[in-house]
Structure formats: C-alpha cells, structure tokens
Amino acid sequence: MDLREVVSRSSPVTIPSTATASEALVSMIENKTEYLLVDRAGPHDAYGIITKADIVVEGVANGIDLTKTAALDLARKPLVVMNNLDLDIRWVAMKMVSEGISRIAVFEKEKFLGFISDVDILKAVAARKEAKK
C-alpha cells in the first residue's frame, strides 16, 4: 500500500497562523481530530502542528490563557513532511521512527493532503493482511 492510498482517508484540517490556542482546540473538537496543521505566517515561514497534548502540556498545565495565546506559540515547527505519494507505507513508518514522531504531514506540491499517523499505518497493514486472505 502506498502513501497516496493511506492519505486519501485523511481529512486535512488547518488553522491560520493567527488562530488562538482556544480556536485550535475548538477546531479539533468540531473536526474530531487530535491535531491540526498550523498554516505558515508567510511564504518564507514553515508549517507547524498543534496537538491536543500541546494545548494541555504547554497551555493548560502552565496556566496560560488559551484565548489570548497564539496557537503558533504552542505548535511545533518545522513539520516533518512527505510528498512522494508513491512511497510504500513501510518507508513512511521508517521515517516516523527515524524522526521520533507519530505523524507526518503529506503534501502534493503546495497542497496539504492531510496527516498520516502511526495508527493509520497500522490500519493499512491490517487491511492489507485482510485483503490477502
């Protein structure tokens, strides 16, 4: 199974670089996701990722007002990105291991297609096994 097949099941959810942490959290809840792509602040900036864990650990646990804190301040940048949609998912898994991450942003040129998580890879492997039966 290749990256294209796995990412096609993903729902790309982004927030603008100007969003607050509170707005990011609302977007996560509305979109039933635990992470979002934070858009670049400009053409020379990097994309970021913000997760529910980032909001809890960096925001709530430190007593930060989420309505006044930029999501970008809690986000991690730069992202680990993949753009070769023909890659077998084992290479995606190897990249996650080598980078010490559990999700990778997938782009086709400048278009964000979504995130691939370690859980997505496990589901794809299980589906491949089922299809071979």
Side-chain angles (χ1 to χ4, degrees), residues 67-79:
T67 63
K68 294 179 181 171
T69 302
L72 206 51
D73 291 345
L74 304 180
R76 286 171 276 144
K77 292 170 65 171
L79 282 178

Side-chain angles (χ1 to χ4, degrees), residues 17-29:
S17 61
T18 56
T20 65
S22 179
E23 291 168 331
L25 183 57
V26 168
S27 183
M28 286 179 203
I29 292 165

Side-chain angles (χ1 to χ4, degrees), residues 2-23:
D2 64 23
L3 181 56
R4 182 183 323 277
E5 293 174 70
V6 178
V7 79
S8 69
R9 300 175 189 153
S10 177
S11 299
V13 184
T14 64
I15 57 169
S17 61
T18 56
T20 65
S22 179
E23 291 168 331

Side-chain angles (χ1 to χ4, degrees), residues 13-66:
V13 184
T14 64
I15 57 169
S17 61
T18 56
T20 65
S22 179
E23 291 168 331
L25 183 57
V26 168
S27 183
M28 286 179 203
I29 292 165
E30 289 174 347
N31 290 287
K32 297 180 175 123
T33 187
E34 294 187 6
Y35 41 88
L36 304 168
L37 178 85
V38 181
D39 203 1
R40 301 180 299 172
H44 303 290
D45 194 16
Y47 290 98
I49 183 174
I50 186 166
T51 68
K52 283 184 180 177
D54 294 329
I55 293 172
V56 170
V57 172
E58 300 299 326
V60 176
N62 289 315
I64 292 172
D65 184 345
L66 300 181

